[in-house]
Amino acid sequence: MNHWIVAPIVLPAILAPFIIMVLRYHLDLQRIFSVAGVVGLLGIALTITAQASGDVIQVYELGNWPAPFGIVLVLDRMSAMMVLLTALLALPIVLYAIASGWDDRGKHFHSLFQFQLMGVCGAFLTGDAFNLFVFFEVLLIASYGLMTHGGGAIRLKAGVQYVAYNLLGSTLFLFALGTIYAVTGTLNMADLAVRVAEIPPEDTALLRVGAVLLLLVFCIKAAVLPLHFWLPSSYANAPLPVAALFAIMTKVGAYSILRVYTLVFGPELPVSEGLAGEWLVPAALLTLAVGTIGILGSQHIARMVAFCAIASMGTLLIAISLFNEAATAAALYYVFHSTLATALLFLVADLVMQRQTGAIRPVAPMPQGGLIAALFFVGAIAMAGMPPLSGFIGKLLVLDATRDASNTHAVWAVILIGSFVTIVGLARAGSLIFWKSHDAQHNTEADPENQEEIPHPPAPEPMPGLTFSAVFGLVIGLVLLTLFAGPALQYASNTAEQLFTPENYISAVLGGEQ
């Protein structure tokens, strides 16, 4: 077996307890090992992505137990791509957290960071629905610790709300898995795909209930309207480097929708006909609309970026909900862009809030204001989907993929109007925070109202040069995604083709057992 497949899970799983048990009183060593672990993860991700690019789906059988009896990890183009995205996102964020001093404002930041990477990579690589639930729970536990890092009553309150809402999702997840297992007798995804296809349409009522519950769970993770209420306060009140890492969290929900509803409950099966697409399209349109309205109405930069994350998920899910190769290729390209752009804006918001309250109103000039304004401008262009950055290409691909849809006019109208409103909202914020600051009569003391909502006291940056270098790393990622849009789209197209030929996945996992 190819042991590289399990390495993205094993590396952070070993490193996290090592940091807690051996290095807990040595912050410098924690930083060294954490950065080394992320660099190692990036090297592993590049290796498995190169291996997956040959269109051969590889399977890792834990304990050498074959599927469907044992737990398997599956490496295909999409799982490799998402692990690579996770590693590319984690490196600048961990460097930023170190440079800004965020990792020193509470306990166990680096160990929790590694557990978070373990959960994300495990969710992308697992070939078993129950283990997808397990990795979701690892994500939940680690993300709660990271959310409350640095303390404070308001942050703790937001963290409790986040956990309570996601525990509801976990409960629904167990109900869904129990229902599906009762009908099929398996939770291995490849085996599920075989058994679901064999069930007569007249006997699928209970199975459809399980599939709908599963879709609700994934929509909670992806912050789809009306299941998005947990995200704005949770992300805005979290340490913003942590919120930048959470840019990949909603993509776990989107990935799960794409994986399960192309492999197990494919759009061509009678049991799942109209199950996901017909519900997702209006929900995605409303998610995009609410996200853009939130951008326009936000009074604090952190909350505004949180609504940017919601809006970008709406655009992504519009493409996913069509469940065809062209739209899926557009979605996979846009996933890369939106994750990097959202993380960039969260880090820029943190740079602003290290120097003033972050309220969207005129304030006194801030140190390095011109450079931060330029970074905000780049992030705003990327998030709004304006040329020349990859957001423009991604939205064009999504629009082009929806040309033959039955609701093309509605989709185009919402995306284009949403882009315009996003431009207006981000331009308003940028002009008030940066351009009008020189005429402001306000001092830099915290606004009591905003300080009550966003517990993020300004603090000096121990290593400002590394802080800006980490942010520029995300900018470089967006520029490279734009310059190499052709090869990136080709990889995405090949990945979409692989997703919509599930028999290859089933054959690789089950072998002679099907």
Side-chain angles (χ1 to χ4, degrees):
M1 289 186 291
N2 180 9
H3 295 288
W4 285 104
I5 300 174
V6 75
I9 303 171
V10 170
L11 176 62
I14 293 175
L15 196 55
F18 176 78
I19 291 173
I20 293 175
M21 294 186 291
V22 180
L23 308 177
R24 62 184 305 173
Y25 301 115
H26 305 280
L27 180 60
D28 290 339
L29 289 177
Q30 289 183 36
R31 289 171 169 176
I32 291 171
F33 275 84
S34 185
V35 172
V38 175
V39 171
L41 178 63
L42 179 57
I44 293 167
L46 289 169
T47 301
I48 63 174
T49 302
Q51 293 174 351
S53 62
D55 290 325
V56 176
I57 297 175
Q58 302 182 54
V59 179
Y60 188 87
E61 299 170 346
L62 293 172
N64 210 25
W65 281 80
F69 309 105
I71 298 170
V72 296
L73 304 177
V74 183
L75 177 67
D76 64 354
R77 281 178 166 270
M78 186 166 70
S79 60
M81 184 194 85
M82 298 305 293
V83 171
L84 178 60
L85 176 58
T86 303
L88 289 171
L89 180 68
L91 183 57
I93 289 174
V94 73
L95 291 175
Y96 182 93
I98 292 170
S100 62
W102 262 112
D103 63 335
D104 195 25
R105 300 188 195 183
K107 295 182 178 180
H108 309 308
F109 176 87
H110 291 288
S111 55
L112 289 169
F113 193 90
Q114 294 297 323
F115 275 126
Q116 186 80 14
L117 295 180
M118 170 195 168
V120 172
C121 293
F124 291 144
L125 287 167
T126 185
D128 184 272
F130 182 78
N131 282 279
L132 181 60
F133 165 78
V134 171
F135 285 118
F136 270 27
E137 295 311 294
V138 173
L139 287 176
L140 178 62
I141 295 169
S143 60
Y144 174 70
L146 289 171
M147 268 199 64
T148 56
H149 178 79
I154 298 166
R155 185 169 292 135
L156 181 61
K157 178 182 176 182
V160 170
Q161 292 173 341
Y162 166 81
V163 169
Y165 200 76
N166 279 274
L167 282 177
L168 173 62
S170 299
T171 304
L172 287 177
F173 204 163
L174 282 177
F175 287 161
L177 293 178
T179 303
I180 293 171
Y181 186 80
V183 176
T184 63
T186 185
L187 290 176
N188 179 279
M189 292 186 193
D191 198 32
L192 267 176
V194 174
R195 300 197 185 194
V196 166
E198 293 173 348
I199 297 176
E202 62 271 14
D203 297 332
T204 58
L206 190 59
L207 186 61
R208 289 175 68 87
V209 170
V212 170
L213 287 176
L214 207 56
L215 182 61
L216 285 175
V217 172
F218 298 152
C219 286
I220 289 174
K221 302 297 182 183
V224 179
L225 195 90
L227 306 171
H228 72 293
F229 296 109
W230 60 272
L231 192 149
S233 294
S234 298
Y235 280 30
N237 288 295
L240 293 189
V242 171
L245 178 65
F246 285 3
I248 196 69
M249 294 269 286
T250 49
K251 307 309 185 296
V252 175
Y255 166 89
S256 301
I257 292 172
L258 200 51
R259 173 68 75 193
V260 172
Y261 292 91
T262 56
L263 175 62
V264 180
F265 302 107
E268 75 286 349
L269 295 178
V271 62
S272 53
E273 184 179 359
L275 193 64
E278 293 183 6
W279 292 90
L280 269 183
V281 172
L285 292 173
L286 289 173
T287 301
L288 174 55
V290 169
T292 53
I293 293 170
I295 294 170
L296 190 61
S298 294
Q299 298 301 313
H300 195 280
I301 189 170
R303 194 170 183 87
M304 180 190 70
V305 180
F307 277 107
C308 286
I310 293 175
S312 69
M313 283 305 301
T315 304
L316 173 62
L317 287 166
I318 287 171
I320 289 176
S321 62
L322 296 179
F323 290 105
N324 61 56
E325 288 188 22
T328 300
L332 293 173
Y333 181 89
Y334 190 79
V335 129
F336 241 92
H337 158 79
S338 64
T339 303
L340 297 179
T342 303
L344 170 62
L345 279 179
F346 271 121
L347 295 188
V348 172
D350 189 70
L351 290 173
V352 171
M353 292 175 64
Q354 297 295 338
R355 292 157 176 80
Q356 47 111 320
T357 65
I360 300 177
R361 57 176 173 78
V363 293
M366 68 180 76
Q368 296 98 26
L371 180 57
I372 297 172
L375 290 170
F376 179 84
F377 181 68
V378 172
I381 288 176
M383 183 57 66
M386 296 175 62
L389 291 179
S390 52
F392 179 70
I393 300 171
K395 286 195 174 181
L396 278 182
L397 291 172
V398 174
L399 291 171
D400 183 63
T402 60
R403 281 186 305 169
D404 298 327
S406 58
N407 49 2
T408 301
H409 298 297
V411 170
W412 279 47
V414 173
I415 291 177
L416 293 176
I417 294 173
S419 298
F420 175 75
V421 174
T422 300
I423 293 169
V424 172
L426 293 171
R428 164 185 167 271
S431 63
L432 288 173
I433 293 173
F434 300 108
W435 291 355
K436 294 188 178 181
S437 61
H438 295 282
D439 300 324
Q441 299 300 317
H442 303 282
N443 58 28
T444 57
E445 294 178 359
D447 185 325
E449 180 179 354
N450 286 308
Q451 188 68 11
E452 183 180 354
E453 296 176 355
I454 312 291
H456 198 309
E461 297 168 1
M463 293 176 276
L466 182 57
T467 299
F468 283 99
S469 298
V471 179
F472 272 107
L474 292 172
V475 174
I476 292 171
L478 290 170
V479 171
L480 291 176
L481 186 60
T482 306
L483 294 177
F484 295 97
L489 182 58
Q490 184 61 51
Y491 186 94
S493 299
N494 293 338
T495 303
E497 182 180 356
Q498 189 179 68
L499 279 174
F500 284 91
T501 52
E503 57 272 12
N504 295 336
Y505 184 104
I506 296 169
S507 177
V509 174
L510 298 181
E513 296 293 327
Q514 37 180 333

